[in-house]
Amino acid sequence: MNLTTQNAKNLISKDNEASKKAAQDIVNNIDIKSFQTLCENSQYMFDFVIDKVVKNLILATNTNNLKATFEFSKFYDTQIGEYVNQAWQRFANEELTDKILEFFETGSEEQKIYAAKYFEKINDPLALEWLNKYAFSENESLSSACAFTLGIFNDETSRNKALLMLNDNDEFAKFSAIKFLINYSRKEDLKFVINTMENCAFSTNIAQEILYTHDINTLKDTLNEDEFLKLTDEIISGYPEDIPLDTVLDFNITELLEILNRNKNSYATRILTDAKNIFGLIISDTIYTYDLTKEHLRAIKNLNNMLQNINIDVLTIKNELFKTPKRAQRALNTIMTLNNNTFCNEVQKLYSRTNSPTLLCECARVAKALDIILDKNTGLNKISDNNAKELFKSYF
């Protein structure tokens, strides 16, 4: 942590009197440098330190020095920025609301984000025009803040736009629409996003967006069993290459997997098996863990220990071969990782039934690795794409 001003250092100190005095100095003197350096270093602070910073800044703020927050709002931070959010809501009145509405027109992007959050609590319809204007901003913090506030207003202007964007041929436009719907936070939209996620190019990113936005208790109350498994599947499949390992705490992966362990169906079993293999691999090779904090490394070790102690009936995974194409493909990969030719009959059966070039190639890949006999011509007769056909032939 590199705090560049004495006021910032005093504000986080254990000396309560020094901390309170620093807070008063920062607010009364509009000490922008101190607020900026606090924002820049918030990721290195413990939660209780951030809580103390916000609390003391709020105690130092009154109607006479509230103008300091207008300058501080030029620096956005999800944690230290709670001070600005709380100060504006505490002293909300018509004059302040008019000032914050001006930020939508003339303020920086950071000020626009704070403004969008202000109207989460202050239901002024004059904000709707601006919230809809920035609902699909390239600034993700701004667009998500606008989407969430529009959901509270129950204004459907941008929601309807997002639903239309889902039909766009541009995958990035679709992803933007999906992110809006996730942050808009309507129950049926969240369920819809998860049920369509399987065929989206950004499924792993979508799953992360959901877990960053909604806690596990909300998800358990909102989603049915199959939807919950789809979400967990995308998250687990993303480790360790596509999802940062430090999210194991943010996403509460241990609780996610404990929920799966209470579910004995083939889908949950396959995800648990993958998790067991994935986190076993992560722990076995320091290339994945060398830059983790002690806290995150300890969490991953504990998670791996939990998974290794789970007794999994892997034979139930064979049922996954006859579900959706994506589930079947992932089940084939799991079977190959297990290096278990007990699934020989099921792989042969899938191979004979499917017309999917992807699944035919995956069946051939698994068959080669596990010495399962397949008729080459069966696959060749079903595959028309030349690239897929060459890949298929490489396994024989």
Side-chain angles (χ1 to χ4, degrees):
M1 186 158 55
N2 182 30
L3 297 173
T4 58
T5 73
Q6 192 59 49
N7 269 339
K9 293 174 183 177
N10 289 344
L11 185 56
I12 70 165
S13 74
K14 295 179 181 179
D15 184 334
N16 288 331
E17 290 306 313
S19 181
K20 289 177 181 178
K21 184 179 184 305
Q24 290 172 346
D25 286 345
I26 290 171
V27 178
N28 288 333
N29 298 317
I30 314 181
D31 184 353
I32 294 173
K33 287 185 178 179
S34 289
F35 191 82
Q36 180 180 4
T37 193
L38 287 164
C39 289
E40 289 171 350
N41 286 274
S42 67
Q43 60 184 310
Y44 308 113
M45 299 180 192
F46 293 113
D47 288 345
F48 74 89
V49 173
I50 291 170
D51 290 343
K52 178 181 178 180
V53 167
V54 171
K55 178 183 176 181
N56 282 338
L57 287 172
I58 285 289
L59 289 173
T61 305
N62 54 53
T63 54
N64 294 322
N65 59 19
L66 184 64
K67 61 185 178 182
T69 61
F70 303 151
E71 295 300 319
F72 297 156
S73 65
K74 293 175 182 177
F75 305 95
Y76 179 70
D77 179 72
T78 56
Q79 299 183 90
I80 301 298
E82 266 303 297
Y83 159 62
V84 175
N85 294 332
Q86 291 182 27
W88 286 359
Q89 288 163 15
R90 174 172 291 192
F91 297 103
N93 57 32
E94 188 174 344
E95 183 180 352
L96 178 60
T97 298
D98 289 342
K99 174 68 177 179
I100 293 172
L101 280 169
E102 288 179 14
F103 285 146
F104 278 129
E105 187 170 6
T106 61
S108 65
E109 286 200 339
E110 290 76 15
Q111 288 174 318
K112 289 179 173 67
I113 298 168
Y114 284 115
K117 288 179 172 292
Y118 174 76
F119 289 103
E120 288 177 15
K121 304 291 185 183
I122 310 301
N123 257 214
D124 190 325
L126 291 176
L128 288 174
E129 175 189 353
W130 300 106
L131 293 168
N132 282 301
K133 179 176 180 178
Y134 297 115
F136 300 98
S137 167
E138 292 183 4
N139 184 313
E140 291 194 8
S141 295
L142 177 56
S143 59
S144 63
C146 289
F148 185 79
T149 303
L150 285 167
I152 292 173
F153 271 89
N154 204 27
D155 181 89
E156 298 199 352
T157 306
S158 290
R159 177 179 179 265
N160 292 335
K161 180 179 177 181
L163 292 173
L164 289 174
M165 288 167 64
L166 293 175
N167 298 317
D168 201 302
N169 291 326
D170 184 344
E171 288 293 334
F172 289 98
K174 287 182 183 178
F175 186 38
S176 180
I178 286 170
K179 286 191 291 184
F180 175 88
L181 294 173
I182 291 169
N183 286 289
Y184 191 80
S185 298
R186 184 170 289 187
K187 180 177 179 178
E188 59 265 35
D189 289 346
L190 184 58
K191 294 168 75 70
F192 171 78
V193 165
I194 288 175
N195 285 318
T196 58
M197 185 170 61
E198 190 172 35
N199 299 315
C200 180
F202 297 100
S203 56
T204 302
N205 304 82
I206 293 167
Q208 291 180 80
E209 288 284 337
I210 291 170
L211 285 178
Y212 275 126
T213 308
H214 302 281
D215 61 39
I216 290 180
N217 289 328
T218 299
L219 294 171
K220 285 193 296 186
D221 292 341
T222 302
L223 308 178
N224 63 32
E225 178 182 275
D226 191 56
E227 291 159 351
F228 191 87
L229 289 170
K230 285 179 182 178
L231 176 62
T232 307
D233 190 11
E234 291 304 323
I235 290 296
I236 297 303
S237 297
Y239 289 119
E241 303 296 341
D242 298 324
I243 300 179
L245 285 173
D246 58 12
T247 59
V248 293
L249 292 177
D250 295 330
F251 296 162
N252 205 343
I253 296 300
T254 298
E255 185 174 349
L256 279 177
L257 295 178
E258 285 174 345
I259 293 170
L260 260 63
N261 193 34
R262 296 194 288 270
N263 186 325
K264 302 302 181 183
N265 69 26
S266 61
Y267 198 0
T269 300
R270 197 268 297 158
I271 299 170
L272 273 176
T273 304
D274 286 348
K276 191 171 185 175
N277 291 331
I278 288 166
F279 285 97
L281 170 66
I282 290 167
I283 287 299
S284 70
D285 195 335
T286 56
I287 193 172
Y288 297 113
T289 58
Y290 74 94
D291 60 345
L292 291 175
T293 66
K294 290 181 180 179
E295 180 186 19
H296 288 103
L297 181 57
R298 183 167 57 251
I300 289 172
K301 285 181 177 179
N302 291 339
L303 175 57
N304 181 59
N305 289 338
M306 180 196 81
L307 287 165
Q308 300 311 317
N309 288 324
I310 292 176
N311 185 22
I312 300 175
D313 181 12
V314 297
L315 292 181
T316 62
I317 295 173
K318 64 185 180 183
N319 297 321
E320 286 297 289
L321 294 175
F322 308 101
K323 304 298 182 180
T324 66
K326 191 168 189 175
R327 283 170 65 175
Q329 183 179 350
R330 284 183 173 168
L332 284 168
N333 189 63
T334 305
I335 289 168
M336 186 166 171
T337 303
L338 289 170
N339 195 27
N340 187 337
N341 59 11
T342 306
F343 299 94
C344 173
N345 290 338
E346 284 72 26
V347 172
Q348 290 172 329
K349 189 182 295 184
L350 173 62
Y351 179 72
S352 66
R353 289 182 181 180
T354 186
N355 291 314
S356 163
T358 300
L359 288 180
L360 288 166
C361 288
E362 282 298 290
C363 284
R365 184 172 73 95
V366 172
K368 181 180 180 180
L370 302 183
D371 293 324
I372 298 172
I373 298 173
L374 298 178
D375 177 49
K376 180 179 179 180
N377 288 329
T378 299
L380 286 175
N381 291 335
K382 293 180 181 181
I383 300 173
S384 58
D385 180 80
N386 289 331
N387 290 331
K389 187 168 286 190
E390 290 304 313
L391 176 63
F392 175 83
K393 288 193 290 187
S394 71
Y395 295 125
F396 288 88

